[in-house]
Amino acid sequence: MSYLAKPKLHHPELKANRLGYTRRDYEGAMSTLCAGCGHDSISAAIIQACYNLAIEPHRVAKLSGIGCSSKSPTYFLGGSHGFNTVHGRMPSVLTGANLANRDLIYLGVSGDGDSASIGLGQFVHSMRRAVNMVYIVMNNGVYGLTKGQFSATADQGSRSKRGVVNSDSPVDLAALALQLGVSYVARGFSGNKEQLVPLIEGAFMHQGAAFIDVISPCVAFNNHPGSTKSYDYVREHNEAVNRVDFVPHAEELTGQFTPGTVQEVLQHDGSVLRLRTLQAEFDVHDRIAAINYLYQRQAEGEVVTGLLHIDPTPEDMHRHLNTSLRPLNTLDEAVLCPGSAALARINAALR
């Protein structure tokens, strides 16, 4: 159905956010992915998160690699900057763009083949360098464009649609991100929008590298009995470490919380936020505990979702490298060529 154009009609009563944008303003072209594909649900969650945060679409730079997941930026934020790179090379292109212009909001979209196989080295170095970006992996455990071979994230012992058993150990991108020192690490499920949207909102507001691994079942090749990344399997084995919501910066709201209970908190806009404290012993600020918890639950056949780790005082690549505050294309000759006296001082300092 890719030949059908998305209608441009807007309902006159569509609700607008504080900047006057409606949800339609954050949409893109009509999806050509399979009906029921988890990637489309992730695209919808990104659209909702950007609408909720009132992000100006033209301030977003979305980059992707190659694969079903990397097609998805076409389907959201049609008014933003976009660049589709080659297979596995999205992180380095995004890093270069980020260095040239820190004023944009960077969103990298990738897949398990794009990031865990050919692009694994690119993923590792962009994360350890703390590039200020939101990095979302749409993880279905297969190569959908080439008819369903196992990807590097396929669980050992899982079965393909044709009954082949995977004998290789999987790459756990969330655990790897934790080991690399990423300051915001989460895992979501495309079938749980209530959890996924606030995870994406928090990632957009985080001033540092933010990584979200989203289990996204492939309805064509990996949604059958024997798959550990099917809708049924993830729903049956999902272990949510917390219930997540996102509240924009404002005057601090406090309350008394008892583990296992629901606490109602009155928000600044008059709405009521209901918070349930789950897994009282889980500390999102403890990186080592998060790594251990992931592997403990994995040994029990469970898929851990939620906010796994956050550093409340993150640093990013720009601070490490002391880069220009201004976009490079706005620097004039006086800044770029300070004169012979400045050059002499630099040369003297290097002797």
Side-chain angles (χ1 to χ4, degrees):
M1 302 292 285
S2 59
Y3 58 88
L4 293 178
K6 176 175 278 190
K8 295 183 179 180
L9 297 175
H10 283 63
H11 193 282
E13 296 182 4
L14 280 179
K15 186 178 179 181
N17 60 23
R18 60 181 176 83
L19 291 183
Y21 292 105
T22 69
R23 193 180 183 281
R24 288 296 303 271
D25 294 318
Y26 295 94
E27 295 179 357
M30 185 173 290
S31 175
T32 61
L33 298 175
C34 302
C37 178
H39 295 0
D40 283 334
S41 297
I42 301 173
S43 294
I46 293 172
I47 291 169
Q48 189 64 48
C50 291
Y51 169 81
N52 291 349
L53 294 175
I55 291 174
E56 296 172 297
H58 64 271
R59 291 198 59 234
V60 179
K62 54 183 182 179
L63 294 92
S64 63
I66 297 294
C68 291
S69 58
S70 294
K71 293 173 60 180
S72 65
T74 305
Y75 314 137
F76 59 82
L77 295 176
S80 68
H81 307 278
F83 195 95
N84 187 231
T85 72
V86 295
H87 203 7
R89 300 303 184 260
M90 176 274 291
S92 59
V93 177
L94 187 150
T95 299
N98 196 311
L99 284 169
N101 186 353
R102 63 162 69 187
D103 286 347
L104 296 177
I105 300 169
Y106 289 91
L107 170 61
V109 177
S110 186
D112 43 300
D114 199 50
S115 283
S117 291
I118 190 172
L120 184 59
Q122 298 265 319
F123 166 77
V124 167
H125 292 298
S126 67
M127 292 292 97
R128 76 179 185 86
R129 288 177 179 139
V131 179
N132 189 2
M133 65 181 294
V134 177
Y135 195 129
I136 295 178
V137 168
M138 301 181 180
N139 187 352
N140 57 23
V142 298
Y143 294 112
L145 288 183
T146 53
K147 310 309 178 189
Q149 302 94 329
F150 291 119
S151 80
T153 65
D155 293 312
Q156 193 171 36
S158 62
R159 291 181 178 272
S160 70
K161 192 173 182 179
R162 296 185 177 182
V164 178
V165 178
N166 180 40
S167 58
D168 297 330
S169 298
V171 173
D172 189 327
L173 291 172
L176 185 56
L178 286 167
Q179 293 169 11
L180 293 168
V182 178
S183 52
Y184 184 104
V185 182
R187 176 178 283 139
F189 172 46
S190 64
N192 186 355
K193 189 176 179 181
E194 181 182 359
Q195 180 193 57
L196 184 57
V197 170
L199 287 176
I200 296 174
E201 291 176 3
F204 271 119
M205 298 304 295
H206 186 73
Q207 296 301 306
F211 174 72
I212 307 178
D213 178 30
V214 187
I215 306 301
S216 177
C218 174
V219 293
F221 300 108
N222 211 15
N223 194 37
H224 53 273
S227 166
T228 57
K229 286 183 168 55
S230 65
Y231 281 111
D232 288 343
Y233 185 92
V234 176
R235 287 194 176 106
E236 292 173 2
H237 297 82
N238 187 2
E239 171 70 14
V241 296
N242 39 43
R243 177 169 292 182
V244 184
D245 203 347
F246 176 79
V247 180
H249 289 294
E251 185 179 348
E252 182 180 11
L253 297 173
T254 60
Q256 298 296 320
F257 297 90
T258 303
T261 65
V262 176
Q263 175 73 32
E264 293 189 350
V265 179
L266 181 64
Q267 301 297 290
H268 295 88
D269 62 359
S271 62
V272 175
L273 176 67
R274 293 172 57 82
L275 297 175
R276 178 181 294 275
T277 53
L278 302 177
Q279 297 288 343
E281 72 280 4
F282 187 82
D283 182 4
V284 296
H285 300 108
D286 190 335
R287 184 184 302 275
I288 295 176
I291 295 173
N292 290 335
Y293 189 82
L294 273 180
Y295 286 119
Q296 289 169 5
R297 304 327 302 166
Q298 186 183 75
E300 298 296 325
E302 295 177 355
V303 180
V304 178
T305 62
L307 180 60
L308 303 175
H309 175 71
I310 185 170
D311 185 343
T313 57
E315 294 189 359
D316 73 342
M317 174 181 62
H318 290 285
R319 181 170 179 178
H320 296 162
L321 300 180
N322 193 27
T323 60
S324 170
L325 294 175
R326 292 168 54 186
L328 298 188
N329 64 351
T330 67
L331 301 180
D332 53 25
E333 185 177 355
V335 175
L336 296 174
C337 302
S340 58
L343 179 59
R345 287 195 300 270
I346 293 173
N347 289 335
L350 297 176
R351 290 192 176 96

